[in-house]
C-alpha cells in the first residue's frame, strides 16, 4: 500500500491574472466558478469586482476598458506557522505552532495589496502579537500563555487590511530542556536571594535537605558577572567559618563543593585560573 503525500498548503489568494488584448472579449470571457471572484483592473487604474453570482456580458467587458483580470480564490485554507517566541526574561523560548485558517473577504483589497504568499505577509504581525503575550509568562506557564495568545490574536483582526478573514489557533509547548533550564534558573534565583541576604542558616538548611542541587547552582553562580562572583566567594568563605555547617550536619561531599566554590571563584576573580570541573573525589583544601 503506497503512502499518500501530504496536501500542499495553498498560500496565494490570487489564482492567476490575465492580460487582456484589444477585442479579446469578443472570443474570450472569464470562466464562472463558485469559488472564484474576478477583479478587473481598467485602463484608468480603477478596479471592478465580480463575484461568482454575477455574470459579465461581452459588451460590459469589451467597452469598460478592462485590461487585466485577476482570479481570486474564495475557498477556506489553512497554513501553519512555527516559531520560538521568548518567555519572561528572554532566556528560554516556547515552541509555538500557529494554524491560520484564512479566506478572502475583500477580493479587490487582496489584489491591491499584491499578496502572493499569505504566510509571508502575516508572519511578522502574528509573531509580534505572540511575543507580546509570551514575554509576560514564565516558560512553565505554557497553558495560560496559550489561552491568552489565542484570545489576543483573534481580537486583533490582523488580516482585514489585506482583505483577508483569519482565525488563529495557537499551540504552545516546552521541551524537556526548557523545563530543566526553568527549574535550574529558579534554584539559582533562590540561592542568590539567600546569598544577598547573608542567611547562612537558610543556606545550610537547604544544603542539608537538598544536597543534589548545590553543584549545579554553585557552578552557575560562579559563571555570572564579577560582582556576583565576589558575593559567592565572600558568602562561601563566611559560611565555612560559621557554625551553621555543623549545626545542620552538612555532608562531607557538600563541604567539598563549598570549598571548591570558594577556591574556584577566587581564582577567577584574581585571574589565576579558569573555573575547573568539580570532582567529588578531590579532598577539600584547608581554608
Amino acid at each position: 500500500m503506497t503512502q499518500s503525500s501530504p496536501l500542499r498548503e495553498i498560500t496565494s489568494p490570487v489564482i492567476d491574472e490575465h492580460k487582456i488584448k484589444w477585442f479579446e472579449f469578443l472570443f474570450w470571457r472569464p470562466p464562472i466558478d463558485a469559488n472564484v471572484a474576478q477583479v478587473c483592473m481598467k485602463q484608468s487604474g480603477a478596479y471592478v469586482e465580480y463575484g461568482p453570482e454575477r455574470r459579465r456580458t461581452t459588451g460590459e467587458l469589451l467597452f469598460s476598458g478592462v485590461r487585466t483580470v485577476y482570479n481570486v480564490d474564495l475557498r477556506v485554507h489553512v497554513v501553519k506557522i512555527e516559531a520560538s517566541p521568548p518567555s519572561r526574561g528572554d532566556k528560554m523560548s516556547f515552541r509555538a505552532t500557529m494554524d491560520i485558517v484564512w479566506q478572502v473577504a475583500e477580493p479587490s483589497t487582496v489584489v491591491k495589496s499584491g499578496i502572493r504568499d499569505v504566510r509571508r505577509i502575516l508572519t511578522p504581525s502574528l509573531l509580534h502579537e505572540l511575543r507580546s503575550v509570551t514575554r509576560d509568562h514564565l516558560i512553565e506557564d505554557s497553558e495560560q500563555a496559550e489561552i491568552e495568545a489565542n484570545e489576543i490574536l483573534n481580537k486583533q483582526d490582523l488580516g482585514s487590511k489585506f482583505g483577508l478573514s483569519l482565525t488563529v489557533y495557537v499551540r504552545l509547548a516546552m521541551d524537556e530542556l526548557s523545563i530543566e533550564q526553568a527549574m535550574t534558573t529558579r534554584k539559582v534565583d533562590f540561592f542568590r536571594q539567600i546569598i544577598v541576604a547573608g542567611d547562612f542558616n537558610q543556606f545550610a538548611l537547604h544544603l542539608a535537605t537538598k544536597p543534589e542541587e548545590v553543584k549545579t547552582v554553585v557552578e552557575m553562580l560562579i559563571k555570572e558577572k564579577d560582582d556576583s562572583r565576589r558575593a559567592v566567594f565572600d558568602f562561601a568563605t563566611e559560611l565555612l567559618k560559621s557554625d551553621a555547617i555543623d549545626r545542620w550536619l552538612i555532608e562531607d561531599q557538600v563541604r567539598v563543593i563549598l570549598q571548591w566554590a570558594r577556591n574556584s571563584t577566587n581564582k577567577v576573580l584574581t585571574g589565576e585560573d579558569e573555573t575547573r570541573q568539580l570532582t567529588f573525589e578531590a579532598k577539600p583544601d584547608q581554608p
Side-chain angles (χ1 to χ4, degrees), residues 133-264:
V133 174
T134 60
R135 278 197 169 104
D136 288 337
H137 294 274
L138 297 172
I139 190 67
E140 57 265 42
D141 295 335
S142 59
E143 183 177 355
Q144 184 59 37
E146 180 179 295
I147 293 173
E148 293 187 19
N150 279 289
E151 291 178 353
I152 294 296
L153 289 176
N154 286 295
K155 283 181 181 179
Q156 298 300 318
D157 197 15
L158 298 174
S160 59
K161 61 182 177 181
F162 304 114
L164 302 172
S165 173
L166 303 180
T167 303
V168 184
Y169 298 95
V170 181
R171 288 170 283 150
L172 293 178
M174 52 186 294
D175 53 29
E176 293 183 3
L177 178 59
S178 296
I179 296 174
E180 183 178 346
Q181 288 177 336
M183 293 176 63
T184 301
T185 299
R186 284 197 168 186
K187 293 171 186 176
V188 171
D189 290 339
F190 173 77
F191 276 97
R192 186 187 292 111
Q193 292 173 7
I194 293 177
I195 290 173
V196 171
D199 192 340
F200 298 138
N201 286 315
Q202 179 65 21
F203 196 96
L205 171 61
H206 205 83
L207 296 185
T209 56
K210 297 182 179 180
E212 70 281 356
E213 295 182 0
V214 180
K215 179 177 178 290
T216 301
V217 171
V218 169
E219 284 183 332
M220 291 189 67
L221 287 170
I222 291 175
K223 292 178 183 178
E224 294 187 345
K225 297 180 181 178
D226 285 348
D227 53 349
S228 295
R229 290 170 179 161
R230 173 64 63 182
V232 172
F233 172 75
D234 293 341
F235 186 86
T237 300
E238 295 302 319
L239 179 60
L240 288 167
K241 292 179 181 178
S242 72
D243 60 354
I245 295 291
D246 294 327
R247 183 184 309 124
W248 292 103
L249 301 176
I250 302 301
E251 297 178 0
D252 289 341
Q253 192 179 65
V254 177
R255 293 172 188 262
V256 171
I257 297 174
L258 292 174
Q259 186 68 54
W260 169 82
R262 193 191 71 161
N263 294 345
S264 297

Side-chain angles (χ1 to χ4, degrees), residues 56 58-59 113-114 119 146 198 231 260 269:
R56 283 71 71 193
T58 301
S113 299
R119 184 192 287 108
E146 180 179 295
W260 169 82
L269 290 171

